[in-house]
C-alpha cells in the first residue's frame, strides 16, 4: 500500500492531431554504439520513457512532430523531432578531462554520516510509467571540511519485484538553484531487492567532494519491461488491467512545518521545486538520502 505517489496526469488529445507510434534507438554519435537507459521526454507533456539495454525506445501514443528531450550522463542533452516509425537519436559525448591519480598511504579514515535515514519514511514516491527524477538538495556545512569526500549514498526502496533497476545521480547546483551539471563521470545503475530495503551505493571510487554550494542526490525511474509490476485484486488474485507500476518506489518522509523540504522533480524535460504549488498537485513530501563522508 503506497499512501503517497505521483498523480497520473491525463493527456488531452486535440482534434485534428495525428497520432502514431514513435519508436527508435539512441546511439553514441562518435561510436555508433547504443546508449542504454537514456531519459526521454515529450517536451512540456507528461509523457516519457527510457531506452533499454540496446538503446531502443518506443511511444505508443506519442505525437509525431513534437519535440523529444533526450539526456544521459556522459552526453550533451539533445532535442529532436519525433517521427512516425523508426528513428535514430544521436547523442554527442561530453568531453571530459581525466583527473590526476594520487597514491595515498592506506591509513584509517574519519567518517561522518549526514542526513541519516529515519523510521519516518512512511511515504513513497512511485511511477506509473514516466521516467521521473526526484532530487534532494544537501546544503554545504563548514563541518564537511574535515571529511570532504562522498563515500556512500543510502536510500530506502519499496519493490514488489526482485532486482528492480533505477539510477542514482549526483548533481552540482545550477545557476538557477536547480540541479545542474553531473558530479559523476559514469551512470550509476542500481538494483533494489524485493520488499522494503535499505540500498547503499558506493561512490568512493570517484573522489567526489561536496561543492561549497551544496549538491543534489537524485533517483531516476527506468521505464523498462523488467521493472513492471501489475497489481492484482486482493479477492480474486486477477491482475488489474491498466494498473501498472514501475518498480521500485523511493521511500520518503512526510512534510514538516519546521523543515525545508529541499525537493526537486524532473518531468516534462525540466526541473521544478516540490515547493511549487499548481494544479498538478505537486507532492509535499521530499526524497530522503543518507550520505557517508570521509577524509
Amino acid at each position: 500500500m503506497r499512501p503517497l505517489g505521483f498523480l497520473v496526469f491525463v493527456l488531452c488529445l486535440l482534434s485534428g492531431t495525428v497520432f502514431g507510434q514513435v519508436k527508435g534507438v539512441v546511439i553514441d554519435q562518435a561510436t555508433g554504439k547504443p546508449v542504454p537507459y537514456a531519459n526521454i521526454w515529450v517536451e512540456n507533456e507528461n509523457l516519457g520513457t527510457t531506452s533499454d539495454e540496446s538503446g531502443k525506445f518506443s511511444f505508443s501514443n506519442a505525437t509525431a512532430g513534437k519535440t523529444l528531450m533526450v539526456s544521459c550522463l556522459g552526453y550533451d542533452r539533445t532535442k529532436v523531432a519525433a517521427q512516425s516509425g523508426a528513428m535514430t537519436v544521436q547523442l554527442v559525448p561530453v568531453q571530459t578531462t581525466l583527473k590526476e591519480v594520487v597514491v595515498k598511504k592506506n591509513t584509517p579514515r574519519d567518517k561522518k554520516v549526514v542526513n541519516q535515514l529515519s523510521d519516518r519514511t512512511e511515504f513513497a514516491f512511485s511511477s506509473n510509467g514516466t521516467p521521473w527524477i526526484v532530487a534532494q538538495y544537501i546544503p554545504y556545512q563548514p563541518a564537511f571540511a574535515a571529511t570532504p569526500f562522498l563515500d556512500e549514498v543510502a536510500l530506502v526502496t519499496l519493490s514488489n519485484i526482485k532486482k528492480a533497476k533505477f539510477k542514482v545521480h549526483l548533481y552540482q547546483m545550477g545557476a538557477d538553484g536547480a540541479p545542474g551539471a553531473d558530479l559523476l563521470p559514469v551512470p550509476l545503475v542500481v538494483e533494489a531487492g524485493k520488499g522494503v530495503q535499505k540500498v547503499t551505493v558506493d561512490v568512493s571510487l570517484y573522489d567526489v567532494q561536496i561543492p561549497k554550494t551544496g549538491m543534489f542526490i537524485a533517483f531516476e525511474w527506468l521505464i523498462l519491461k523488467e521493472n513492471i509490476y501489475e497489481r492484482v485484486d486482493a479477492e480474486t488474485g486477477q491482475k488489474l488491467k491498466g494498473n501498472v507500476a514501475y518498480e521500485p518506489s523511493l521511500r520518503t518522509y512526510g512534510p514538516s512545518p519546521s523543515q525545508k523540504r529541499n525537493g526537486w522533480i524532473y518531468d516534462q524535460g525540466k526541473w521544478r521545486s516540490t515547493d511549487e504549488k499548481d494544479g498538478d498537485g505537486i507532492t509535499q513530501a521530499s526524497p530522503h538520502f543518507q550520505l557517508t563522508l570521509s577524509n
Side-chain angles (χ1 to χ4, degrees), residues 102-120:
V102 179
V103 179
K104 297 181 180 180
K105 184 179 179 180
N106 187 16
T107 57
R109 296 182 301 165
D110 294 327
K111 293 198 174 187
K112 179 183 180 65
V113 175
V114 178
N115 205 35
Q116 189 164 3
L117 295 172
S118 73
D119 294 333
R120 292 181 56 241

Side-chain angles (χ1 to χ4, degrees), residues 3-14:
L4 181 61
F6 289 111
L7 299 179
V8 178
F9 297 89
V10 178
L11 295 176
C12 297
L13 309 183
L14 301 178

Side-chain angles (χ1 to χ4, degrees), residues 33-56:
K33 293 182 178 180
V35 177
Y37 309 137
N39 185 292
I40 307 165
W41 282 91
V42 177
E43 187 176 30
N44 297 323
E45 293 191 18
N46 191 53
L47 181 62
T49 191
T50 305
S51 64
D52 65 16
E53 291 186 358
S54 300
K56 296 178 181 179

Side-chain angles (χ1 to χ4, degrees), residues 66-205:
K66 289 195 173 181
T67 300
L68 299 183
M69 304 187 67
V70 186
S71 61
C72 189
L73 180 60
Y75 297 91
D76 290 329
R77 189 168 74 163
T78 189
K79 293 184 179 182
V80 295
Q83 303 171 14
S84 294
M87 61 182 293
T88 299
V89 179
Q90 299 185 46
L91 294 185
V92 178
V94 174
Q95 297 299 318
T96 58
T97 302
L98 294 177
K99 293 183 179 179
E100 180 182 358
V101 176
V102 179
V103 179
K104 297 181 180 180
K105 184 179 179 180
N106 187 16
T107 57
R109 296 182 301 165
D110 294 327
K111 293 198 174 187
K112 179 183 180 65
V113 175
V114 178
N115 205 35
Q116 189 164 3
L117 295 172
S118 73
D119 294 333
R120 292 181 56 241
T121 57
E122 70 270 29
F123 299 100
F125 285 115
S126 60
S127 173
N128 291 329
T130 45
W132 312 105
I133 306 177
V134 292
Q136 182 185 21
Y137 175 64
I138 308 295
Y140 182 82
Q141 300 176 25
F144 293 171
T147 51
F149 293 96
L150 181 57
D151 268 14
E152 295 178 344
V153 175
L155 57 148
V156 178
T157 58
L158 169 62
S159 179
N160 288 289
I161 64 174
K162 297 178 180 178
K163 297 183 178 181
K165 292 181 180 179
F166 62 95
K167 276 187 184 179
V168 170
H169 296 272
L170 307 180
Y171 297 113
Q172 300 178 33
M173 177 185 282
D176 57 355
D182 291 283
L183 287 167
L184 292 177
V186 295
L188 288 179
V189 179
V190 186
E191 288 186 349
K194 189 174 182 179
V196 177
Q197 301 282 339
K198 177 182 176 182
V199 180
T200 301
V201 184
D202 185 355
V203 295
S204 60
L205 295 175

